[in-house]
Structure formats: structure tokens, C-alpha cells
Amino acid sequence: MGVSAVDTDCVFCGIVGGRVRASRVYEDAQVLSFMEIRPAAPGDLLVIPKAHAAGLEDIDRALTAHLFGVVHVLVRGLRRSGLPCEGVNVFLADGESADQTVFHLHVHVFPRTADDRFRLDVRWQERSRADLDDDAARIRAGLTRGGHAPGQP
């Protein structure tokens, strides 16, 4: 997939280009943040790279670091905004199986309160130490196949 300047069929590229209206919160040369049009709560933000990229693996480490640096700044602003915000969830859905519905990489920043109705429905699993060790070895092998030396990010 990779990064492209714009995808004319992508609503988020439309927002970046000004063809689709959005309530912008933060913008720099690489990243844009705007209010979620169907928020879970007031203050629900989206943070996107301006260049079109479908998923996290499609952007380089420098842009990933910058994107999450902006998320950090926006969480601070949200907590100090006066909007109801006792906590924050940061969420990224990468791929259809992860429930990604807009295939332009985006990070959700959800303000949370003790009495909100936001829930993640997860079936937590018990795994044996041997299974966990095997999973860890398989991921380390995947890192090597991806060109990363052991112990290096």
C-alpha cells in the first residue's frame, strides 16, 4: 500500500485538502487533527497523517513518532479544555479485521468519564507461559524478517 499524497476517494484526504468540512483542532505540515463527526463523547478527536496511508505499517518511523507526539500534545489539551475528561483512551484500528472503517490511518483520542457508556467488549484469554514464549519467539522472527535487528526498535 504505502503512502501517497492523496486518494481522491478518501474522505480524510478530502478533509486535508479542504474539500470536506471538518472542525480542525491541530495542524502542521505532516499531521491534522479534527473532531470526530460521530463522537463517543464531546471532545472525541481524530489524528491523521496528511499524506494518505492505509495503516500504521505504511508510514515511516519518523512520521509515526511525530503522529504520536501530536496525540500526546492533544491529550494534554483535551484534559485542560474544560470538556468532561477524567481519563483518555487512545485507539488505532489497523485493518478490516480490527474494525478499521476508513482506510486512511487515524488515531482516535477518546475523552473518558467514570459514568460514560464507552466499553470495549474483549474476551481476555488465559495463555500458558510456553504459549506466550512461543508467541514472543514468532514476533521476534517477524521483526527479523522485517529487517529489524534484535533489541532495536
Side-chain angles (χ1 to χ4, degrees):
M1 295 194 187
V3 176
S4 64
V6 67
D7 178 339
T8 56
D9 296 327
C10 173
V11 67
F12 288 174
C13 287
I15 291 171
V16 170
R19 296 180 312 280
V20 176
R21 287 189 60 203
S23 299
R24 294 170 182 243
V25 175
Y26 173 93
E27 184 170 6
D28 64 29
Q30 297 178 294
V31 172
L32 174 65
S33 175
F34 50 92
M35 303 307 299
E36 165 67 70
I37 196 165
R38 291 183 309 261
D44 188 344
L45 299 168
L46 295 173
V47 188
I48 66 169
K50 284 184 165 181
H52 184 81
L56 191 56
E57 193 172 359
D58 297 322
I59 63 174
D60 64 24
R61 289 173 45 188
L63 182 52
T64 301
H66 181 67
L67 180 77
F68 280 95
V70 170
V71 167
H72 179 260
V73 167
L74 290 167
V75 166
R76 295 187 78 164
L78 181 59
R79 287 182 177 270
R80 290 161 178 76
S81 69
L83 290 167
C85 182
E86 299 165 11
V88 175
N89 279 113
V90 174
F91 182 78
L92 185 149
D94 191 340
E96 192 171 344
S97 294
D99 292 328
Q100 184 177 5
T101 57
V102 176
F103 291 90
H104 183 124
L105 175 65
H106 56 286
V107 178
H108 292 266
V109 180
F110 296 110
R112 300 294 309 276
T113 60
D115 61 347
D116 67 30
R117 298 175 55 111
F118 186 98
R119 299 291 176 264
L120 294 176
D121 185 16
V122 178
R123 289 176 284 150
W124 301 103
Q125 304 171 17
E126 282 288 322
R127 302 269 294 165
S128 70
R129 178 58 52 203
D131 287 341
L132 294 172
D133 288 344
D134 182 60
D135 293 348
R138 293 175 72 166
I139 294 168
R140 285 192 305 272
L143 289 171
T144 301
R145 282 191 295 277
H148 298 282
Q152 300 297 315

